[in-house]
Amino acid sequence: MGQTLVEKIINAKAIGRSSVGNPAKPGEIVTCTVDLAMFHDSSGPRRVAPRLEALGAKVWDPTRVVVVTDHFVPAVDIAAANILKLTRDWVRDNKIAHFYDMEGICHVVLAENGHLTPGLFAAGGDSHSTTGGAFGCYMAGYGATEMTGIMVTGEIWVKVPETIRVTWSGKFGTGVAAKDIMLHLCAELGMDNSFKVVEYDGDTVTDMDMSERMVLTNMAAELGAETGIIAADATTVAAIKTAGGTPPEDALEWRSDTDATYVAEHKFDAAVLGPMVAAPHAPANTKPVGAFEDIAVDQCYIGACTGAKYGDLKMAAEVLDGRSVAKSTRLLVAPASTKATAQAAADGTLAILTKAGAIMMPTGCGACPGMGAGILAENEVCISSTNRNFQGRMGPASSEVYLASPYSVAAAAVTGRITDPRTFLT
Amino acid sequence: MSAITGSAWIFGDNIDTDLIISGVYMKLTPEEMTQHCLEAVAPDFAKNVRAGDIIVAGANFGMGSSREQAPQLLKMLGVGAVLASSFARIFYRNALNLGLPALILPEAGEIDPGDRISVDAAAGKIVNGKNGKSYNCEPIPDHLMAMIADGGLMAHLKKKIDAGDL
């Protein structure tokens, strides 16, 4: 019987198991060796270091650890500054091989620096670690104590997940993006797909660049999935090489067998999908943008690992080219990485945004997790290209966040109300 | 592990990690953070929860962030166990790693606020003192019960290190 891509990776890494000899099946619990472990300034050293000290243990393999500062950057108060200093000191003292200090959001930085390759088993101290699956690897998120366990042993237990296959065919219409797919899927599949993996395929997916594919795997977290994954193709291999990484020779062989068993298979047509918006306070509260067109917004936010990569900034610029941000609202743009900022600066994308009146914010997680600049006031309404609109996440419990694509956030910035971005695109 | 008994606090579906503890409080000390726990949905929870009380919730409890403060603060406030018809995966792992029993109870909706609930985590047995009704939960996997019996992942690792197994 065939195996899914995720079953193959887990069996390749599971101690005492193998895909050909005695493969573990969905539902079985196995222990896997970890190829790469990543954490950031919030979940990482400040929480892991005291635990390692209490155990008297050392990092099992500093060459396999990546640390990124992104949640408390740049420091706005002494508490944040101390957290960042602790992070830098720990990285130095433990001779961690890969440290990215204020270079961008961890999931984007991993991709930009060639760390993710097909067949890899990776663990991240952040729930959106699912993003890594866009590169055909298994990457899931864990809490700080469990990341401490990985630091000591280099291993983690996994209940082999069942795989949900999601196939998208057809070409996007104008003003539609991967984000609209994910908001639609949150409503269709629900947010409670625990201990399952979502594998994406179909020509809509293979036509996407890595930036858009990463939106699909990033928001697998909102589906409640173990992770999301997309089999590698020529686009993946080229992106890894451009990023300075080394794709394995068998990169294209890491894919589900044609006779693999899925727990469910869903097929969708991208050509009939329009811009989608998720109302407060859950990503599953999704309807077509037209359902919300009377809603005034105090803030428009382009940010986070989901919606502020270079490609996302380009989408916003397409809408904002030659237009201005309405006086009744404000547009904050926090690019997902310094590389994204540099690329957008080089080709004029940033000039379009700033000329329109966008306020440029530091690279980092920013307002998305409620830790950086751009927090909402009581009863304020925001439309955001981020991934979560949980009550109290980006501000007080009375504030409201609508989730949408960068196109739709930019369109709302022009009018001050939730607006179909196709109004401004031809 | 002996049974834990306390009053039931009832919550609905999809209680997310920002509701349990919002990101805006992440720079506070854990003690300060406990006072904001679940404040948007149960403003009196942090003040009135008593040691041994039991959280009873619907589907997908703890969805969202990997922040371990979510189960950590519940434990600090004295919550004896969390029963839910289903759990978000990271919350489930985090809770067990910290030694906070998390049990999947499909019949969670039958329990009312304030019911006296006894939870025997090791046996997966739950009794409602109000009507004597008992439930058998899906058992926690053996390898995790061994870890919980040691007092959570940290104590489990310490035991292995001291025994020379790591």
Side-chain angles (χ1 to χ4, degrees):
Chain A
M1 198 177 71
Q3 293 171 49
T4 66
L5 172 52
V6 157
E7 288 162 28
K8 286 184 187 180
I9 297 174
I10 289 175
N11 274 306
K13 306 297 174 180
I15 294 165
R17 311 303 284 261
S18 77
S19 276
V20 281
N22 54 343
K25 294 182 178 59
E28 284 188 62
I29 290 169
V30 295
T31 298
C32 289
T33 53
V34 174
D35 295 316
L36 178 136
M38 180 280 295
F39 42 54
H40 50 63
D41 49 333
S42 186
S43 69
R46 72 168 174 142
R47 300 185 60 76
V48 171
R51 290 176 168 84
L52 283 175
E53 204 165 305
L55 291 171
K58 284 193 175 357
V59 176
W60 102 104
D61 186 349
T63 68
R64 295 186 180 276
V65 179
V66 182
V67 180
V68 180
T69 59
D70 56 10
H71 275 63
F72 293 108
V73 299
V76 293
D77 56 24
I78 294 163
N82 285 338
I83 291 168
L84 293 172
K85 182 173 190 317
L86 182 155
T87 305
R88 293 174 186 125
D89 289 350
W90 186 83
V91 163
R92 184 196 61 229
D93 294 346
N94 288 276
K95 301 182 170 56
I96 300 304
H98 312 284
F99 181 43
Y100 300 96
D101 194 6
M102 299 177 68
E103 291 184 39
I105 304 170
C106 55
H107 313 299
V108 176
V109 165
L110 278 183
E112 284 178 344
N113 290 282
H115 287 290
L116 303 169
T117 51
L120 200 75
F121 187 105
D126 187 279
S127 58
H128 287 105
S129 298
T130 56
T131 313
F135 289 82
C137 59
Y138 183 92
M139 185 160 190
Y142 304 94
T145 298
E146 201 143 38
M147 290 306 292
T148 305
I150 292 173
M151 286 303 115
V152 177
T153 64
E155 297 170 1
I156 184 117
W157 70 267
V158 180
K159 183 174 162 187
V160 183
E162 294 174 305
T163 301
I164 300 170
R165 183 183 188 184
V166 174
T167 306
W168 281 83
S169 308
K171 295 212 177 301
F172 282 139
T174 303
V176 181
K179 179 63 173 288
D180 298 303
I181 281 187
M182 287 317 299
L183 295 177
H184 183 65
L185 285 179
C186 285
E188 288 285 320
L189 305 185
M191 301 182 292
D192 188 9
N193 295 286
S194 204
F195 294 102
K196 296 187 183 75
V197 164
V198 179
E199 182 177 348
Y200 303 93
D201 64 10
D203 57 80
T204 316
V205 178
T206 50
D207 281 352
M208 289 178 184
D209 62 14
M210 295 313 294
S211 172
E212 282 283 86
R213 294 184 193 187
M214 285 163 69
V215 175
L216 303 184
T217 48
N218 176 277
M219 286 192 67
E222 278 53 63
L223 299 172
E226 188 78 4
T227 190
I229 198 162
I230 301 169
D233 60 9
T235 302
T236 322
V237 170
I240 295 167
K241 286 181 180 164
T242 303
T246 310
E249 279 182 22
D250 61 354
L252 301 181
E253 289 162 33
W254 288 101
R255 52 182 54 250
S256 293
D257 292 326
T258 49
D259 59 344
T261 304
Y262 297 93
V263 64
E265 297 188 54
H266 302 276
K267 286 183 164 53
F268 299 95
D269 181 359
V272 299
L273 182 73
M276 306 299 285
V277 172
H281 296 287
N285 290 341
T286 296
K287 286 182 183 163
V289 63
F292 304 108
E293 279 201 312
D294 57 336
I295 299 196
V297 291
D298 300 292
Q299 176 165 304
C300 307
Y301 188 76
I302 305 263
C305 46
T306 318
K309 299 175 270 36
Y310 168 72
D312 303 310
L313 304 180
K314 284 286 278 185
M315 287 182 214
E318 253 186 82
V319 172
L320 289 164
D321 195 4
R323 300 189 173 89
S324 301
V325 175
K327 282 286 178 196
S328 61
T329 191
R330 55 188 184 260
L331 171 62
L332 309 188
V333 179
S337 69
T338 50
K339 281 196 167 86
T341 311
Q343 199 177 350
D347 73 357
T349 300
L350 276 195
I352 294 170
L353 299 178
T354 52
K355 197 175 169 198
I359 300 153
M360 297 308 297
M361 311 288 285
T363 281
C365 303
C368 176
M371 297 180 190
I375 303 298
L376 302 167
E378 296 284 354
N379 301 306
E380 278 197 324
V381 177
C382 177
I383 185 166
S384 177
S385 69
T386 55
N387 43 47
R388 286 185 182 141
N389 55 349
F390 299 153
Q391 189 175 14
R393 178 173 172 85
M394 205 189 264
S398 65
S399 61
E400 296 189 330
V401 176
Y402 290 80
L403 301 176
S405 75
Y407 287 127
S408 297
V409 174
V414 174
T415 62
R417 296 179 167 271
I418 296 178
T419 300
D420 190 327
R422 292 172 294 194
T423 313
F424 302 118
L425 299 166
T426 48
Chain B
M1 289 172 78
S2 56
I4 306 149
T5 302
S7 294
W9 288 79
I10 308 296
F11 295 92
D13 295 340
N14 295 320
I15 295 297
D16 63 67
T17 47
D18 282 290
L19 289 176
I20 299 171
I21 184 67
S22 168
V24 300
Y25 301 124
M26 282 298 125
K27 283 184 284 199
L28 300 180
T29 66
E31 289 72 22
E32 290 166 336
M33 275 195 257
T34 57
Q35 297 312 302
H36 298 284
C37 207
L38 287 161
E39 64 184 7
V41 280
D44 60 338
F45 177 78
K47 191 162 54 109
N48 293 340
V49 67
R50 296 284 170 265
D53 280 0
I54 310 293
I55 285 182
V56 182
N60 205 20
F61 188 83
M63 76 166 176
S65 164
S66 65
R67 67 184 61 144
E68 200 165 62
Q69 290 92 339
Q72 180 194 356
L73 300 177
L74 295 178
K75 197 178 177 201
M76 285 173 70
L77 285 167
V79 170
V82 183
L83 315 177
S85 54
S86 67
F87 286 94
R89 58 172 287 277
I90 305 183
F91 182 92
Y92 180 77
R93 297 182 74 119
N94 283 347
L96 299 183
N97 284 331
L98 294 177
L100 174 65
L103 290 156
I104 298 164
L105 177 67
E107 302 91 342
E110 295 179 11
I111 296 172
D112 293 317
D115 285 1
R116 293 292 291 176
I117 304 296
S118 290
V119 177
D120 183 339
K125 197 166 179 204
I126 291 155
V127 180
N128 189 341
K130 180 181 69 179
N131 51 22
K133 198 160 179 185
S134 69
Y135 304 92
N136 290 306
C137 285
E138 272 183 45
I140 293 173
D142 289 345
H143 77 293
L144 294 176
M145 267 328 296
M147 180 188 79
I148 295 167
D150 287 344
L153 180 57
M154 285 295 290
H156 189 61
L157 288 170
K158 181 85 181 132
K159 190 173 154 188
K160 282 175 127 177
I161 288 169
D162 289 347
D165 292 341
L166 279 175

